Amino acid sequence: MLFGILLYHCRNKINYLKPTFHIKTEAEYNPANSILLMIAGARRCSFAVMNYLSKELVEFGYYTSTEDENDYKSFFEGVESLNNRYYQTAIGYDSNESVQIPSVVYKYEDGQLNLDATFGKSVHTTVVSENVPGWNLYNVYRLPSDLHSAISWKFLSAKSWSIYSVLLKGHASKNDESMIIDFKTDEFSVVILKNNKLLLARTFSYTSPEDVLYYLLKCCQQLNISQQTIKLSLAGLIEKDSAVYRELYKYFINLEFESLSAEVKLAEALTVHPEHYFSSISKLAACVL
């Protein structure tokens, strides 16, 4: 009987996202004059509060979990800043399972089939489809159903996009060869563009710098891209003195850290971290400015 009770609790374990870091200004801000920006995925959620008038990020939180299923509803309720009434809310869905389909062959009813064929069947997920302006593409992706329902419940009037759509919007008019890389704690997302065409949008897991290098070199090999000419734009949780950066520097010529998008700027409290920590969420801000 005791074993049965323990097994029940194991199967019904509730997982929570925990803060990696959370910084904010000491000065009070008015939510009615602010925009909530959030990037949410299966195992991580980052958010920023931006003053709509000054375009200044005044708060930033980065939360992670080691599990794929988390109690998002309790998480959103438990973070004080996520319970204010903001002028506007923008969500970027960070989905690992996403396919990009040309508009001419896209069919809404085939979304699930396309995802199953690429990533295998999945349960407890919600499929979302969206047009990507300027690219003649539809982004079809799936999210944990509990994440999608919690956001729909908590942020009813929010505007939302796949984070891949957000990244593509920021590069729609660039006719070059580029690789946009956004580093998380144990994953990195890659968007590869050439001559204003999307070649790849994927997320990879990694445990060592060699893993990152392997995946990027493999992408170059399979897509026939030169390591000497492609430009790598680095965003997210990566430092210039890190082992990951040193490995990339050995094999790629053109490396740059991303800066903030549009008119977005950082409050003084946030400047303890480099701008590229916030570049992806600033691109989300550019979607609503």
Side-chain angles (χ1 to χ4, degrees):
M1 183 65 179
L2 178 60
F3 174 78
I5 294 174
L6 291 174
L7 183 60
Y8 174 82
H9 283 294
C10 181
R11 287 176 175 172
N12 292 273
K13 180 182 178 182
I14 298 176
N15 302 302
Y16 297 96
L17 285 84
K18 299 178 181 179
T20 299
F21 59 92
H22 190 167
I23 47 181
K24 60 188 299 186
T25 61
E26 294 183 0
E28 294 292 329
Y29 60 81
N30 184 0
N33 293 330
S34 303
I35 297 176
L36 176 64
L37 307 164
M38 179 185 295
I39 299 176
R43 293 190 289 118
R44 61 186 52 85
C45 178
S46 60
F47 71 89
V49 177
M50 182 180 70
N51 184 303
Y52 180 73
L53 302 176
S54 67
K55 309 299 186 293
E56 186 176 64
L57 298 183
V58 297
E59 181 175 358
F60 184 82
Y62 194 99
Y63 289 71
T64 60
S65 170
T66 58
E67 305 294 333
D68 289 331
E69 296 182 5
N70 293 278
D71 186 354
Y72 294 100
K73 187 174 180 179
S74 295
F75 167 68
F76 294 143
E77 286 291 288
V79 178
E80 181 181 358
S81 301
L82 301 182
N83 289 278
N84 294 324
R85 295 176 63 88
Y86 291 96
Y87 170 72
Q88 197 170 15
T89 298
I91 308 290
Y93 282 119
D94 190 6
S95 171
N96 292 358
E97 299 183 347
S98 175
V99 292
Q100 294 72 44
I101 302 172
S103 299
V104 293
V105 297
Y106 167 77
K107 293 182 180 179
Y108 174 80
E109 60 272 18
D110 290 342
Q112 182 71 63
L113 293 175
N114 292 320
L115 289 166
D116 288 348
T118 305
F119 301 101
K121 293 185 180 296
S122 180
V123 295
H124 308 306
T125 56
T126 299
V127 175
V128 181
S129 299
E130 65 192 27
N131 181 40
V132 185
W135 288 89
N136 295 318
L137 291 173
Y138 274 83
N139 205 346
V140 182
Y141 54 101
R142 60 189 178 199
L143 305 161
S145 293
D146 53 353
L147 170 61
H148 187 263
S149 61
I151 285 181
S152 300
W153 162 79
K154 182 67 177 176
F155 309 105
L156 186 61
S157 61
K159 296 181 179 180
S160 63
W161 305 268
S162 162
I163 195 62
Y164 290 140
S165 299
V166 173
L167 296 177
L168 287 171
K169 181 178 180 180
H171 291 77
S173 61
K174 295 187 177 181
N175 292 309
D176 59 4
E177 197 173 66
S178 58
M179 187 183 294
I180 306 146
I181 311 172
D182 187 10
F183 286 91
K184 291 90 168 178
T185 49
D186 57 0
E187 293 180 338
F188 63 97
S189 297
V190 181
V191 172
I192 301 178
L193 308 172
K194 184 175 183 179
N195 298 327
N196 211 30
K197 293 182 179 179
L198 173 65
L199 301 185
L200 181 74
R202 289 291 300 273
T203 296
F204 300 97
S205 298
Y206 74 97
T207 58
S208 69
E210 290 75 19
D211 292 338
V212 177
L213 186 62
Y214 169 81
Y215 285 123
L216 296 183
L217 292 178
K218 195 68 174 178
C219 287
C220 289
Q221 180 188 48
Q222 294 189 345
L223 297 174
N224 194 28
I225 291 174
S226 170
Q227 298 162 222
Q228 283 69 43
T229 59
I230 191 168
K231 180 176 69 177
L232 270 64
S233 297
L234 308 179
L237 304 184
I238 178 174
E239 301 287 352
K240 192 167 185 178
D241 60 355
S242 67
V244 171
Y245 183 85
R246 288 195 294 270
E247 286 299 312
L248 294 179
Y249 189 77
K250 292 178 185 177
Y251 291 88
F252 293 93
I253 303 298
N254 301 309
L255 297 173
E256 67 175 19
F257 288 98
E258 290 198 338
S259 56
L260 298 177
S261 296
E263 304 169 2
V264 180
K265 52 190 176 182
L266 301 178
E268 184 177 356
L270 276 65
T271 58
V272 295
H273 295 294
E275 282 193 4
H276 64 266
Y277 269 35
F278 314 97
S279 61
S280 292
I281 214 157
S282 75
K283 291 175 185 176
L284 183 60
C287 292
V288 293
L289 289 177

